Amino acid sequence: MSTWHEYLQGGKPVPTWPYPIRYGEERELETDVLVFGGGIAGSHAAISARKAGARVLVVEKEATKWSGNGGAGVDHWLSACTNPCSRVSPEEYTQRVLEDCGGYDCGPLRYVVARESWDALLDCEGMGLRIRDEAGEFTGAEFRDEETGLLFAYDYVNRCELRVWGHNMKPVLHAEMRRLGVEVLDRVMITSLLTEGEGESRRVTGATGLGTRTGEFYIIRAKATILATGLPGRMWNFSTEYRSTFRDPNCTGEGVSAAWRAGAEFSRLEESYPDSGTMAYISYAVGNAHNTWHGCPIVDANGKEVPWVDRDGRELGSLEERFTPAEGQRFMLGDGLRVPPSYENQTKKLAPDLPERILSGEFVLPLYADLSRMPERERRAIFGLMVGNEGRTRVPVYETLTKAGFDPDQDMLQVPIMDPSSYGHSNFWSGVGAPQWRMWGGGGVVVDWDLRTNLPGLYAAGGAIFGAGAHSSAAASGRYAGRRAAEGARGVSLPGADRAQTDREKARVYAPLKPEGRPMGWKDFNAGIGRLMQSYCGQYKSAGGLREGLRMLGELRESEAASLSAANPHELMRAVECLGMLDVGEAVMTASLERRASSDYLNFQRIDFPRMDPPEWRNLRPIKLGPSGPESRDLPFDYFLRPPYAPSLKENYAAHSGLERGEVRR
Amino acid sequence: MSETYMLPNPPGPNRAVDFDPAICNGCNSCAGICRSDVLMPNPEKGKTPIVLYPDECWYCGTCVLECRRPGAITLVHPLNQSVSVVWKRKATGEYFRLGMKRPPTPNARPPSS
Ligand SMILES: Cc1cc2nc3c(=O)[nH]c(=O)nc-3n(C[C@H](O)[C@H](O)[C@H](O)COP(=O)(O)OP(=O)(O)OC[C@H]3O[C@@H](n4cnc5c(N)ncnc54)[C@H](O)[C@@H]3O)c2cc1C
C-alpha cells in the first residue's frame, strides 16, 4: 500500500492536497546576503557569509538537508592542492587546468578553488564530516598517508585528489547553518532577480520566489545575492519514463533564466555533451572502471583481462601503475572535474581501442568488472568507501546490491551489452544515447576576482559560474563568494522592491493557474522544449537551424506556453520551470549563433563554420541580454590577469580574497 | 473483491520506494526531505506516506538515509534498470540479478563509514 494507485484501489477517496494553498499571498523578507540555491556552493557561501558577520538567508527549492547534485553524497574531493601531502602547487594546478580547457575556463574560479579546496574540506571536518582514516581501516595502503590518515585517489604520488566519507555531507552542512543562525527557507523556488537602475548602474536587489508546496509569493530584498543554482538539466532530454538521470532533475535552470533576464553576462553556454538521458544505467551499479570505480580490472566473458594503458598507449605491467604518473609525466588529473583529458595530465585508462578489439573477436562480451582481482584494500576503497559514499550510491548501489547478495570479494559485476563503439571509455553505466541528446556543459556567469558578476550586488559560486567544476570547486568558491558578498553588503542600505517588477513576475508565475486555450501539462511541454533543443541545437549546429530554433522558442512562448496548466503548487513549480527553460534555450541558442567557429574543447560543431578553435575565436565571447536584445563581446581567456587586475594569480588573490584582513573565523 | 475503478495508467516507473507498514510509523520525515516531493503525507495520521510522483524520483536514497526505522523504506529500482544489474560468482559460475526470485544470501558487510 505505497503508491497513489494502491491507495485509491483500497477504496479511499482521492486525497486532497496535503499542504495549505496560498496562491498569490505575499511574504516579504529582507536580508544582507541572499543565497539563491542551497546546494554545495550555496551552503558553503551561507556559512562563510554568516561567519563574516552578515545576516544570511538561503532559499532552496528542495529541502536543504539533502538537496542538490551533491546532496546525495560525495566520494572524491578534488583540487586539494594545499593539503599537507600535495605535490602540486595551486599555481601549477591552475595553469594546467586552464591549458587543458584550451583557455575556455574561469581563472579566478580555478585559482580560488586551488587555494581553498583543502580549507573548505577542513571546514567540513570541523563540522563533523569524516575525511581521515583514523580507524586504520586502510593502514598500509599505497593511497594512505600514514601520518595524516588522508586517502588519495587517481595519482598516489602527487596526492591532490582525496577520497572522503561524504555520504552525509549535506546534513553536516545543514546542521552548521542552523548552528550559526543562517536562515533557511526550503521549498521555495526563486523565479526572478529584482533589479534597480538601468544600463551600467543596474544592480541586483533581491529576488522573487514561489512556494513549491503552498504556492505563496515571496518578495526578498537583499543587499547582496549569490547565485548558486548549479547546472541546468532537462533541456535536451526529458522523459520521466525510463528513469535514470545522473544529475538532479530538479535543477532546471531558473538561475540561468533569472540572471539572463536581469542582464548578467554568461560564457560557454554553447557547450553541450552527448548524453543518454533517462536511458542510462544506474550509475556505478553496473560493471565499469570510471571515477568511483577508477582502476577496477575489466575482464571479458572468458576471464581475459582488458589492458590499461598510459598516455602513449603503452600497456601497463602492473595494477600499481594505474595510480602513478607515466614516465616523464608531472601529475595526473582525475575524472569528475569536467576537464578534457590532455596529454600532459591524463590518467591511466582502459585500452581506448577496446571497441575494435571486441569487433575483431579478441575480447568476448559480456565484460565484467572484477574487483576480486584487486588487493583487499583497493577493493574495499572502491566498493566499501567510494560506492559507500558517492552521490546516489550508498543506498541505491551499496545497500541495494549487498542486500541482494553481491559480494565484491567473489563476484564479478556485468557490464551491459551495448553497441561496441560505446566501450571506448570505461564510464560504461552512461549507456548509449542518440547524437542529438545533449547535456549541459560548462555554461555559466562570468565573474571577476570577487566572484562577482557584471551586475553589482550579484555574486556567484559553484556550477553557476562558467567553466569546469565539481563538488570541491562549489565548496571552495562558495566559501570565497560568501566572504566577498558579506563585504559587498556592508555599508549598502537595504534596497526597496519595485512593485512593477513584482507584479509582472506574479502575472508570469501564476499564469498556469488560468491556462489559455487547450490546457497542457508540464511534462508534455518539457518534452516539447527537449525536441526543439535536439532538432535545432543538437550535435551539429548551423545559423539557419539556430535561427529557426529561436523563432520556434518564441512561438512556444506565445502559443503552448500560455496553455501551460497546473492543478496544484507542485505542478505550478514544474510549469514555471518550463517557462524558465524557454529563456535558457534562448540563451543557449543565441550563444551558439554568436560563436561562428567550431570548438573541440566546447564539444561545439557548427556545420557552417567547421574550423576547430581557430585563433580568432579563442575567446570567451560572453553574451548577455541587453535592453534591445542579446549583446556579445570579445573577452580574452586571460581577462583576469589584465588591467584593472594585477598580472599574477597570487597578487589578485591577495588583493581580493579578504583573508588578510582577518575576516574569517573558523 | 475490491471495486474496479477508472484510473489513469500507473506511471512507469510506478513504485520508486516501497514502505513496510509494519515498521513505518508514518512520521513523514522522508516526505519532509524528499527533493522532488515524490512522497506525500497520508491523510490518515500514523500511516505510511503515499508515493504520489514515483516518476519524479531521482533514486538518490536520501529518504532511506533520513528514516529512523531501518527497513521501513526500500528503494526499488525500475525494472528497466534492475534488469541490467547482473553478477557472476567466480567460484561456481552462477548468475545473479537484482530482483531475482531466489537471491543469494545477503552480504552483511556495511559500507566504510
Ligand atoms: C550523483 C553525483 C555524484 C557526484 N559526485 C561528485 C564527487 O564525488 N566529487 C565531485 O567533485 N563532484 C561530484 N559531483 C558533482 C557535484 O555534486 C557538483 O559539482 C556540485 O554539487 C555543484 O555544486 P553547486 O552548488 O554548484 O550545485 P548543486 O549542489 O546542484 O546546488 C544547486 C542548488 O540550487 C537549488 N536550486 C536550483 N534552482 C533553484 C531555484 N530556482 N530556487 C531555489 N533553489 C534552487 C537546487 O535545488 C540545489 O540544491 C557529483 C554529482 C552528482 C550528480
Side-chain angles (χ1 to χ4, degrees), chain A residues 39-41 60-61 67 69-70 75-76 190 246 254 390 463 470-471 474:
Chain A
I40 300 307
E60 165 61 55
K61 77 194 276 198
S67 71
N69 283 286
D75 61 349
H76 282 110
I190 288 189
F246 183 67
E254 298 84 57
E390 163 64 326
H471 192 116

Side-chain angles (χ1 to χ4, degrees), chain A residues 1-9 11-12 15 17-19 62-63 65-69 71-72 130 137-138 165 167 187 212-213 240-250 278 280-282 285-286 301 368 370 372-373 376 380 384-385 388-389 392 394-396 398-414 522-523 568 570-571 574, chain B residues 2-5 7-15 17-21 30-44 47-62 64-66 68 71 73-75 77-78 80-82 84-91 95-100 103-113:
Chain A
M1 264 280 295
S2 291
T3 69
W4 182 78
H5 279 74
E6 288 161 346
Y7 180 84
L8 294 189
Q9 205 63 63
K12 309 258 175 59
W17 192 247
Y19 307 108
E62 306 175 1
K65 189 171 179 187
W66 295 99
S67 71
N69 283 286
R130 194 157 159 234
E137 187 177 9
F138 298 97
W165 288 261
H167 76 278
R187 310 282 179 192
T212 66
R213 286 177 164 178
T240 55
E241 289 287 299
Y242 307 97
R243 199 100 194 106
S244 178
T245 56
F246 183 67
R247 290 183 186 162
D248 181 348
N250 298 298
T278 54
Y281 301 95
I282 308 170
V286 296
Y368 292 89
D370 187 359
S372 75
R373 292 186 181 222
E376 147 68 15
R380 178 69 177 157
L385 168 59
N389 286 277
R392 285 172 85 236
R394 189 182 194 81
V395 172
Y398 192 93
E399 273 191 20
T400 305
L401 265 67
T402 52
K403 258 191 211 152
F406 175 74
D407 178 358
D409 297 349
Q410 51 169 337
D411 297 330
M412 306 188 297
L413 193 57
Q414 200 175 85
W522 66 275
K523 286 193 187 185
N568 58 45
H570 182 81
E571 289 185 24
R574 297 291 183 223
Chain B
S2 69
E3 200 62 64
T4 299
Y5 294 97
L7 288 168
N9 275 325
N14 56 59
R15 186 160 300 273
V17 295
D18 201 36
F19 289 93
D20 184 340
C30 53
I33 60 90
C34 173
R35 66 182 63 233
S36 308
D37 267 337
V38 167
L39 310 172
M40 293 285 158
N42 196 306
E44 261 180 85
K47 287 278 169 67
T48 63
I50 299 174
V51 184
L52 181 63
Y53 298 125
D55 46 336
E56 293 185 40
C57 183
W58 192 40
Y59 296 88
C60 71
T62 54
V64 179
L65 294 174
E66 182 71 10
R68 284 179 292 271
I73 317 178
T74 307
L75 187 120
H77 289 290
N80 79 77
Q81 296 292 348
S82 55
S84 303
V85 183
V86 175
W87 60 96
K88 187 176 177 184
R89 189 138 294 174
K90 287 177 80 171
Y95 287 94
F96 302 114
R97 177 181 71 80
L98 185 58
M100 70 192 293
T105 322
N107 165 7
R109 192 172 190 191
S112 176
S113 50

Side-chain angles (χ1 to χ4, degrees), chain A residues 35-43 59-64 66-78 162 164 170 185 187-192 208-209 227-231 245-248 250-255 258 283-284 291-292 335-338 386 389-393 429 461-465 469-475 477 577, chain B residues 35 58:
Chain A
V35 179
F36 180 177
I40 300 307
S43 300
V59 178
E60 165 61 55
K61 77 194 276 198
E62 306 175 1
T64 305
W66 295 99
S67 71
N69 283 286
V74 48
D75 61 349
H76 282 110
W77 193 275
L78 311 177
L162 299 161
V164 296
K170 280 304 301 287
L185 186 59
R187 310 282 179 192
V188 173
M189 172 172 83
I190 288 189
T191 65
S192 76
T208 61
L227 184 68
T229 41
L231 307 174
T245 56
F246 183 67
R247 290 183 186 162
D248 181 348
N250 298 298
C251 295
T252 39
E254 298 84 57
S283 40
Y284 305 114
N291 203 9
T292 291
D335 303 313
L337 194 62
R338 300 185 295 125
M386 305 302 271
N389 286 277
E390 163 64 326
R392 285 172 85 236
T393 54
W429 50 261
I465 299 177
H471 192 116
S472 66
S473 10
S477 60
E577 289 173 349
Chain B
R35 66 182 63 233
W58 192 40

